[in-house]
Amino acid sequence: MPQLLTRLYLAALCCLPLLALAAGPDCKRSYTLALHEHGLLYNAGTRSGIDKDVADELIRRSGCKVEVSLLPRSRIWKLLEVGSLDFSLSGITNEQRERYAAFAWYFADKYSLIVRKDSGVQTLADFTTRNDVKLGGILSFRYSNTINQLVDKLDQQGRLIGSYDYETLYQNLRQDRTQAIIIEPFDYSDLEKYQVAKLVRMVETNDQPTPHGLIMSKKTISPEQQERWRDLINDMRRDGTLLKIFSKYFNREEAQQMTSF
């Protein structure tokens, strides 16, 4: 009997690597992942940012071959929907996106409504009474509940000015073609970069932090494999890797707030 137990124990030990391998994502094929330029999330000029760090760690842990590209955010969502792209990062969900995308959350933050000081806008209600005030936004972006309601209302009224990139977004604000924009903590440094910091102030929305995550195309990533990739993200949260990544770009308290939702 002791010999039998010993053989069973050794057999179990031999199977552990296979079990660990089986628990990871399927790497029989290569994958595609697209980044989008967005403040500290990714800077194409320096080829660095939070999403780049998360992508690198995710690829390392999965052991899979992943081709990484840079695309406009609007293009990314369309490719995910039709199954021509497997992954992207820092995405938020809504009812429409839930039909074709799955998510693995890794941070949450608050959106900020930034207005020109000379616009006369003091509160969200002023957007209703001031028909001359226009809002700038990146095409295909969605936000927190209150801001989404504002965006949709202004869009219906022809008062939402969409841009493909941040340079155009801030140029419109600087030149008073728009009087307000929506940004996240990743974009605060851009206020100085694009020379609008002295022109603007923040309007409170009282929205709660919005979860952001790895986006997985349901066309190409099966529910079982979605869980495998989600496990990798969750492991990065549990072992402090995500906190370490965010701490490169924010102070530790801010990084903890974003990654401990």
Side-chain angles (χ1 to χ4, degrees), residues 230-245:
R230 194 172 286 117
D231 286 343
L232 293 182
I233 291 290
N234 290 337
D235 286 344
M236 291 166 63
R237 290 184 64 186
R238 281 191 292 265
D239 66 17
T241 299
L242 285 173
L243 176 59
K244 184 178 180 180
I245 289 173

Side-chain angles (χ1 to χ4, degrees), residues 83-138:
S84 297
L85 180 69
D86 296 308
F87 302 110
S88 189
L89 289 161
S90 61
I92 68 172
T93 190
N94 60 30
E95 185 176 351
Q96 179 186 6
R97 291 173 179 175
E98 285 288 341
R99 292 197 286 268
Y100 62 84
F103 298 84
W105 311 119
Y106 60 94
F107 75 93
D109 70 356
K110 283 189 175 184
Y111 288 96
S112 298
L113 181 60
I114 304 297
V115 301
R116 287 181 60 104
K117 294 176 182 177
D118 59 7
S119 67
V121 174
Q122 302 293 326
T123 67
L124 283 171
D126 290 333
F127 281 91
T128 301
T129 59
R130 293 286 309 280
N131 293 329
D132 58 319
V133 175
K134 294 182 175 63
L135 176 68
I138 298 294

Side-chain angles (χ1 to χ4, degrees), residues 26 40 61 64 85 100 160 182 200 202 221 237 247 251 261:
D26 183 359
L40 296 176
R61 292 187 182 218
C64 297
L85 180 69
Y100 62 84
L160 178 67
I182 303 152
V200 299
M202 188 181 301
I221 310 296
R237 290 184 64 186
S247 295
N251 65 48
F261 60 98

Side-chain angles (χ1 to χ4, degrees), residues 9-223:
Y9 176 73
L10 292 173
L13 287 179
C14 291
C15 290
L16 284 178
L18 296 177
L19 290 173
L21 181 63
D26 183 359
C27 294
K28 293 177 183 176
R29 71 173 180 91
S30 60
Y31 295 91
T32 54
L33 183 151
L35 301 171
H36 71 293
E37 192 160 20
H38 187 167
L40 296 176
L41 286 177
Y42 186 67
N43 183 311
T46 62
R47 296 183 180 181
S48 64
I50 292 170
D51 277 357
K52 174 66 163 53
D53 293 348
V54 171
D56 288 345
E57 182 64 16
L58 195 61
I59 293 168
R60 186 190 70 79
R61 292 187 182 218
S62 71
C64 297
K65 182 179 179 181
V66 181
E67 180 182 344
V68 180
S69 61
L70 175 65
L71 294 171
R73 195 52 149 173
S74 57
R75 181 67 175 156
I76 286 173
W77 286 114
K78 290 177 182 177
L79 292 176
L80 288 165
E81 184 174 8
V82 300
S84 297
L85 180 69
D86 296 308
F87 302 110
S88 189
L89 289 161
S90 61
I92 68 172
T93 190
N94 60 30
E95 185 176 351
Q96 179 186 6
R97 291 173 179 175
E98 285 288 341
R99 292 197 286 268
Y100 62 84
F103 298 84
W105 311 119
Y106 60 94
F107 75 93
D109 70 356
K110 283 189 175 184
Y111 288 96
S112 298
L113 181 60
I114 304 297
V115 301
R116 287 181 60 104
K117 294 176 182 177
D118 59 7
S119 67
V121 174
Q122 302 293 326
T123 67
L124 283 171
D126 290 333
F127 281 91
T128 301
T129 59
R130 293 286 309 280
N131 293 329
D132 58 319
V133 175
K134 294 182 175 63
L135 176 68
I138 298 294
L139 291 169
S140 86
F141 268 32
R142 297 301 288 169
Y143 310 94
S144 51
N145 290 334
T146 300
I147 294 181
N148 278 335
Q149 292 173 20
L150 175 66
V151 168
D152 293 342
K153 181 178 181 179
L154 296 183
D155 190 20
Q156 292 172 1
Q157 297 173 356
R159 296 164 58 194
L160 178 67
I161 309 300
S163 301
Y164 282 104
D165 57 67
Y166 280 87
E167 184 174 352
T168 304
L169 179 77
Y170 285 103
Q171 182 180 0
N172 287 338
L173 181 68
R174 189 171 59 250
Q175 297 180 357
D176 204 20
R177 297 191 188 110
T178 59
Q179 290 71 48
I181 60 171
I182 303 152
I183 65 173
E184 298 178 77
F186 313 105
D187 308 310
Y188 290 165
S189 60
D190 283 348
L191 297 177
E192 291 286 351
K193 175 182 176 181
Y194 291 104
Q195 302 174 354
V196 298
K198 295 181 180 180
L199 302 177
V200 299
R201 62 180 182 79
M202 188 181 301
V203 170
E204 182 56 58
T205 66
N206 295 315
D207 267 339
Q208 295 299 308
T210 301
H212 295 57
L214 170 71
I215 318 167
M216 299 172 276
S217 172
K218 290 182 177 179
K219 285 267 189 179
T220 64
I221 310 296
S222 70

